[in-house]
Amino acid sequence: MEIVPLTGVTGAAFGQSRATVRVVRGGPDSAFRRGADAPLTDLYADESCVFFEYDDADLLHAIEIASPGPVSLHGVRLLGRPEDEVVGELRDAGHEVVAEEEAGSIGFSLPALGVTLGGTAQDTDGFESVRFRGVSTTQHAFEFFEGPDGLAGGGEPAVVPHQGIGPVRLGAGRGEMRRLLGGGIGSVPEFGAAFQDTFFCGVVLSYDVDGSVVRIAFTGRTSLGHGGVPLLGRPHGDVREQARDQGLRVVDREAELVFPDAGFSVLTARDGDGLPTTAVVLPAPVAAPGTAADGRRDGPPRVGLRAP
């Protein structure tokens, strides 16, 4: 498999919809979320373990291939070889290769090409994976900030249709939210918003360039309800059936329940009625190309999903 820098690989180009990629490659072996409120990642386990990552609009954002997958860049085989050989050949070919360290593991990136080689404990083991995107890579430092413990105000928050969750509102300022929600980690996300705060109380907020909230996610560490229905930490199927019993309109999508009349979604880690819900997100993700108005995707039907 040859990486086409900033473009993708054969059969999958950055910016394509999930439905389009699935038409070309077929249904994935598994689809799962890498975080409680993250978009679904599709895993294909044919030539190797190949992960297709999508953004909030369901457009292909990044691809990761695990070792020892047969992947190369400009003729240089990247995985299953000693790291120093790979880095040396890439530099000899004129590429800028930058060493990076994260969580005690040293990897390398080719910033201009949007390529990152994941590190291992031993150079002779080779890289664990290669991940590449449709834009050049930029490293952003994380910002730890402090504040009061937990969500201020007490009580179980509820969804405020199309406006917010509990005391958190779309359009609110970043400083106000930090005073309300306490400590956490600030970052620059890879797609979508300009900035993001992940609060220790289990709330994730995304902001625009002016620092106003544009996306709210409450994860399973909190309690949350809507219309008398508890939404988090319960089986997907139970939430759907209780909501319908309460007269709420619910659209069942892959690993997601959409409440269109209130403008939010309830997510699970993978598809399955028995799996617990992990996050409530507002506003609900915009329907991507290839998605019908009722939330059903066109293209191939669902396949049986399994854990990666």
Side-chain angles (χ1 to χ4, degrees):
M1 184 180 300
E2 178 73 16
I3 294 174
V4 182
L6 307 179
T7 299
V9 294
T10 300
F14 297 123
Q16 287 184 319
S17 69
R18 186 191 306 269
T20 299
V21 175
R22 287 184 175 185
V23 166
V24 175
R25 295 189 61 94
D29 293 282
S30 177
F32 62 98
R33 302 186 194 279
R34 287 184 157 174
D37 66 317
L40 284 171
T41 290
D42 285 353
L43 167 63
Y44 292 86
D46 38 19
E47 303 173 58
S48 178
C49 287
V50 182
F51 302 87
F52 288 93
E53 302 177 21
Y54 295 84
D55 63 18
D56 287 335
D58 238 11
L59 303 178
L60 184 62
H61 161 71
I63 300 172
E64 182 175 358
I65 302 173
S67 181
V71 58
S72 59
L73 174 65
H74 293 162
V76 178
R77 186 161 59 90
L78 301 176
L79 302 177
R81 304 171 56 206
E83 295 176 18
D84 57 354
E85 291 183 10
V86 175
V87 171
E89 290 182 17
L90 290 170
R91 286 175 172 162
D92 289 344
H95 298 296
E96 178 192 14
V97 184
V98 180
E100 298 173 353
E101 184 170 357
E102 182 177 355
S105 179
I106 297 177
F108 291 84
S109 69
L110 290 77
L113 303 184
V115 175
T116 301
L117 295 160
T120 58
Q122 300 294 328
D123 172 75
T124 54
D125 293 339
F127 293 105
E128 294 177 344
S129 67
V130 56
R131 185 175 185 268
F132 44 105
R133 300 163 50 194
V135 296
S136 57
T137 57
T138 303
Q139 294 297 312
H140 296 283
F142 291 97
E143 171 203 1
F144 288 86
F145 56 88
E146 298 180 351
D149 294 333
L151 179 63
E156 180 177 289
V159 174
V160 181
H162 303 289
Q163 297 182 47
I165 300 175
V168 181
R169 292 292 186 273
L170 296 172
R174 193 176 193 182
E176 176 189 356
M177 291 298 94
R178 288 187 174 185
R179 290 189 293 272
L180 174 70
L181 298 173
I185 303 172
S187 62
V188 175
E190 288 189 350
F191 56 82
F195 308 104
Q196 177 174 288
D197 284 343
T198 301
F199 293 90
F200 298 138
C201 65
V203 178
V204 181
L205 300 182
S206 301
Y207 307 91
D208 62 16
V209 292
D210 296 321
S212 298
V213 175
V214 294
R215 181 179 184 270
I216 303 168
F218 274 55
T219 70
R221 294 179 57 189
T222 61
S223 297
L224 174 62
H226 174 63
V229 180
L231 298 174
L232 285 171
R234 302 180 59 209
H236 173 106
D238 290 358
V239 174
R240 179 188 61 234
E241 297 312 313
Q242 185 178 358
R244 288 176 176 170
D245 288 344
Q246 295 281 57
L248 301 175
R249 189 161 66 100
V250 182
V251 177
D252 203 346
R253 295 175 59 182
E254 184 176 359
E256 178 182 2
L257 295 172
V258 180
F259 289 71
D261 298 329
F264 71 92
S265 283
V266 180
L267 310 181
T268 53
R270 296 185 303 279
D271 207 24
D273 273 1
L275 294 176
T277 54
T278 60
V280 174
V281 177
L282 188 153
V286 176
T291 303
D294 65 355
R296 294 174 301 182
R297 304 187 190 284
D298 55 17
R302 295 185 193 175
V303 296
L305 302 180
R306 66 171 188 270

